[in-house]
Amino acid sequence: MSQETPRQTPIPQLLLGTITALSIFVTTVPGHAEAPASTLKKIAETGVVRIGYSAEDFPFSFRQPDGTVAGYSTELCLDVIENIKSTLKLAAVKIEYVERTPRNRVTMLRKGDLDIECVASTNNAERRKSVGFSYPHFVTGTQFVSLKKNNLKTIADLAGRTVAATSGTTNIGQLNTLNRERALHIAVMPVETHKDAFQLVSEGRAAAFVMDGILLAAMVAKSKNPETFKISSEALGWPEPYGLMVRLEDTEFKDAVNAALREIYASGRIEALYEKWFNAPVPPEGINMRLPMSAELRAAFAKPSAPVD
């Protein structure tokens, strides 16, 4: 399978320290017919880790103007891999970045095109039937964004309107369920990317776009006219955690990822990462989410645990 990957470019300063430690180079990723039985064994033998990334999920995982990959989840994954590199006593690890979409991420992971997906994937009971998840690294709920002039605040306000949602996300499932249960007669418009859905709202071709609240806030912050948008005051469901995705059967690798996260959380490193990506200007555009860490997320870092069904 041919995947679009960032070209080799100068590494941004924000990742330089970790990249130097890992001797990271971005390379083109070949196809993989089947997943290895043990990711840790594969890493030990090849010295290569394939990270799944998104081009558009700022500030979790995104492609910068120069083609490099950055973000909170990306940098956290690099820290995890540094920990695993030390555990395996490897001199260096080479990172291969593989672009994935909400629609194909599970398939790519299960086939072995990815070793770990480091973006903003919701860990819920349905997904846990297909993939494994690390301890949570963020918590958010599903909301919708609309044009402020339309005064849409609650789910009931969407009745009879056209609403966009990204295919392959948990959000579109939540929207369909509420639409059916409440007989809202919403015309649900599936689209391939978050960018496409947000554009539909911007142009007035969709009344709203349903997505994780944190990602909506990021898209509004990055837009040309943030003041023209409004994020709903009502959520479509309870807040859910994001986790790093790994193959379901590879519990050994998941345990290694979780062990690394425990060290990162306990050391205070996670506080610095969070502040860098959510409470400070992010290069190159200087966007600042101005989002202090929530009590729920702080508790998740203090006592990391896996959600239960």
Side-chain angles (χ1 to χ4, degrees), residues 1-6 29 50-58 60-63 69 73-74 96-110 113-122 127 131 133 137 166-171 192-194 211-212 215 242-245:
M1 179 183 294
S2 176
Q3 297 296 329
E4 178 186 351
T5 58
V29 180
R50 296 185 297 272
I51 290 182
Y53 80 95
S54 168
E56 62 174 6
D57 283 1
F58 177 91
F60 293 90
S61 173
F62 60 100
R63 192 165 54 226
V69 180
S73 300
T74 300
E96 294 179 347
Y97 288 109
V98 184
E99 184 175 358
R100 91 315 164 255
T101 68
R103 185 188 289 272
N104 68 18
R105 56 188 159 182
V106 172
T107 299
M108 292 183 72
L109 189 65
R110 292 185 63 80
D113 294 313
L114 312 175
D115 293 318
I116 184 168
E117 194 242 22
C118 309
V119 188
S121 292
T122 302
R127 281 229 179 107
V131 293
F133 282 94
H137 66 285
T166 311
S167 298
T169 63
T170 59
N171 315 93
E192 281 299 313
T193 70
H194 305 335
M211 181 43 58
D212 298 347
L215 297 183
Y242 286 164
L244 309 176
M245 288 204 311

Side-chain angles (χ1 to χ4, degrees), residues 138-140 239 274 291-301:
F138 202 82
V139 179
T140 189
Y274 186 94
L291 185 69
M293 189 182 294
S294 68
E296 292 87 355
L297 186 56
R298 196 171 294 279
F301 290 150

Side-chain angles (χ1 to χ4, degrees), residues 128-247:
R128 288 195 292 274
K129 296 176 183 177
S130 302
V131 293
F133 282 94
S134 73
Y135 292 141
H137 66 285
F138 202 82
V139 179
T140 189
T142 299
Q143 295 170 271
F144 66 82
V145 67
S146 61
L147 294 176
K148 187 180 295 184
K149 66 182 182 181
N150 293 332
N151 198 33
L152 305 178
K153 300 178 181 179
T154 67
I155 297 166
D157 292 335
L158 301 179
R161 299 176 184 269
T162 298
V163 177
T166 311
S167 298
T169 63
T170 59
N171 315 93
I172 194 169
Q174 290 175 310
L175 177 60
N176 284 326
T177 297
L178 287 171
N179 193 24
R180 182 177 61 253
E181 291 177 350
R182 300 191 189 183
L184 296 172
H185 305 291
I186 294 170
V188 178
M189 183 185 295
V191 295
E192 281 299 313
T193 70
H194 305 335
K195 180 180 178 181
D196 291 340
F198 192 76
Q199 187 68 26
L200 290 172
V201 174
S202 301
E203 296 173 353
R205 292 191 287 153
F209 167 35
V210 169
M211 181 43 58
D212 298 347
I214 182 61
L215 297 183
L216 294 179
M219 283 184 278
V220 169
K222 286 172 64 68
S223 67
K224 292 182 179 179
N225 300 295
E227 69 280 357
T228 64
F229 298 96
K230 176 71 175 179
I231 296 176
S232 64
S233 55
E234 183 180 6
L236 277 71
W238 293 104
E240 293 180 303
Y242 286 164
L244 309 176
M245 288 204 311
V246 298
R247 279 181 281 282

